[in-house]
Amino acid sequence: MKTKNNVQKATTRLLVLGIILVVFNLSVHAQMSGKSSSVAFNLIAFAMVDNSVESNSSSVEADVYVANFEEEAEEALKLEDWMTDLASFDVYSQYFQFEQEEALEVEEWMIDETTFNHWSFQFAEENESPLELEDWMTSDVIWNR
């Protein structure tokens, strides 16, 4: 029974792989046929060109290609003032207001040594109560769940 299931799984995988390859192959052929149809369209366009004057066929094709391509030149870009103005592109600046803090100043109490004399502080001694063991800390019901 186990061997039968393994064979069925392997067969299913091979079928799925075959279907994927067929679909991929069809899509590649569809793309290639689109390219070949555009080449065929160009050939038909060449055939429809008026060939009343007898000439060399290669020069006619060259003339058709030259007629299809026109050389164009763009104007040089100019840098304008608004292009370098950061305020034009800072959209969020209107929502934030930056605050400038005042400079820190040294006050008299900060340099007075008596203020920070460690003998002037009164330390209270802390007395902690001893630890006590409670019943829940050793309970088997709580810790053996």
Side-chain angles (χ1 to χ4, degrees), residues 31-51:
Q31 289 177 354
M32 295 303 288
S33 67
K35 288 181 182 177
S36 64
S37 66
S38 65
V39 172
F41 179 73
N42 286 342
L43 292 175
I44 292 170
F46 289 139
M48 295 178 66
V49 173
D50 184 20
N51 291 330

Side-chain angles (χ1 to χ4, degrees), residues 49-111:
V49 173
D50 184 20
N51 291 330
S52 59
V53 178
E54 300 228 357
S55 64
N56 189 357
S57 63
S58 63
S59 66
V60 171
E61 289 181 11
D63 291 342
V64 171
Y65 280 123
V66 171
N68 288 336
F69 298 110
E70 294 179 11
E71 192 171 323
E72 294 184 9
E74 294 183 4
E75 295 179 18
L77 295 177
K78 296 178 183 176
L79 188 63
E80 298 178 11
D81 291 337
W82 66 269
M83 294 177 182
T84 58
D85 185 16
L86 293 178
S88 299
F89 300 104
D90 192 9
V91 178
Y92 299 106
S93 65
Q94 61 185 341
Y95 300 114
F96 299 108
Q97 293 180 353
F98 296 105
E99 296 181 4
Q100 184 70 27
E101 291 185 2
E102 295 179 13
L104 295 177
E105 295 178 8
V106 178
E107 296 181 12
E108 189 64 34
W109 65 269
M110 295 177 179
I111 56 175

Side-chain angles (χ1 to χ4, degrees), residues 2-19:
K2 195 174 192 182
T3 305
K4 185 178 180 181
N5 287 339
N6 288 340
V7 170
Q8 286 178 346
K9 287 180 184 178
T11 306
T12 306
R13 288 179 183 161
L14 285 174
L15 285 174
V16 168
L17 182 61
I19 291 171

Side-chain angles (χ1 to χ4, degrees), residues 125-141:
E125 285 189 33
E126 295 182 14
N127 293 327
E128 294 183 5
S129 60
L131 297 177
E132 295 179 13
L133 191 61
E134 298 179 11
D135 292 337
W136 66 270
M137 295 178 182
T138 58
S139 173
D140 289 336
V141 175

Side-chain angles (χ1 to χ4, degrees), residues 112-124:
D112 186 14
E113 290 184 19
T114 58
T115 306
F116 298 106
N117 189 354
H118 66 278
W119 298 110
S120 64
F121 292 107
Q122 294 181 2
F123 297 105

